[in-house]
Amino acid sequence: MGQIMIYGLVVLAVFAAVMSVCFLVQRHRCRRLLQSLEDSRRREEMAGKRERIYSAMLPCRLLQLFKQGELEKLQIGEQKSVKAAVLSYNIPGFARIVRQQSAEEIFRFVNKSLNLVVPCILYQEGEIDEYVDAGLSAFFLSEPERALCCAVSVCDALNQTGIRELYSIGLTYGDIMVGMVGHERRFETLTISETTGLAEFLQELAVRFRARILVTGSLKEQIPDFDKSYNSRYLGSIYLKTARLNEEIYDVYDGDEPADKNGKRKTRLLFGKGVELFQNKNFEDARLHFIEVLKANRMDGAAKEYLYLCNRYIAGKDTGEDPPTYLDVY
């Protein structure tokens, strides 16, 4: 009887030992499984972060023009011509800011501006082409009017900050050539277009005219009910040397600050008549109109430019030269 009891105890001990080993093995397997699941989750999280970074760094909508966005099929030399609205935004006084501030302050300033501008572009389904100094250029491939809606939104956002006195925007519409350039180990998209250059030119020209948004006639034609939907005035034209034609330009003052907006609204008809007289080469009467505009709104940069040209052409009328009626040459 005693032997049976001893045998039973031994069996129980062995069974307990086996169960203990099985438990330890199972616990180890569970730990390995949990670790594997955690590692898998981390890998997916990192892959998601990389994908978001790649998406942020790559011009996705431009890449979709090639092979429907299949990156592995992209080849150097591929190119495609598209029509798009182009937006150029920048801070003209950036060179002065660079000289006056430290590198850390410059980065903070640039990012403060872009953190307001970029969301407006993305909301309107624009694609950022490149960053230039404190600004950028962007394309709007679907609906051209989105570019102008974006520009007005940018002004509304920036006018609430200390950046309000420094920025300007140029908008136009036309052909853009998008291509892949570089080497198989490092390549990127390159856009070549007179349209982009013209948008940048307008952005710089806007500073002289104390305008926030300058729009070409080519873009205006793409926007239904432009005159009813936006507050604007016809500024005249600029001469495009490459195309050998005049391009109309418009000052959309929906994004201006209240004082500038009210001044342009009150003198809109008077200013427009002055432009008409100027283009008909009636410089004496045009001059009088622009003087009246400046009496009502002394900060009107475009009226000052026209007054300068009127005085110049009146003073040189005896030279026999035929003065141009455009504002500038691109």
Side-chain angles (χ1 to χ4, degrees), residues 16 19 77 108 225 231 236 241 259 286 296:
M19 292 301 295
R108 281 197 297 270
D225 298 323
N231 291 300
K241 289 189 292 185

Side-chain angles (χ1 to χ4, degrees), residues 187 302 310:
F187 59 92
C310 287

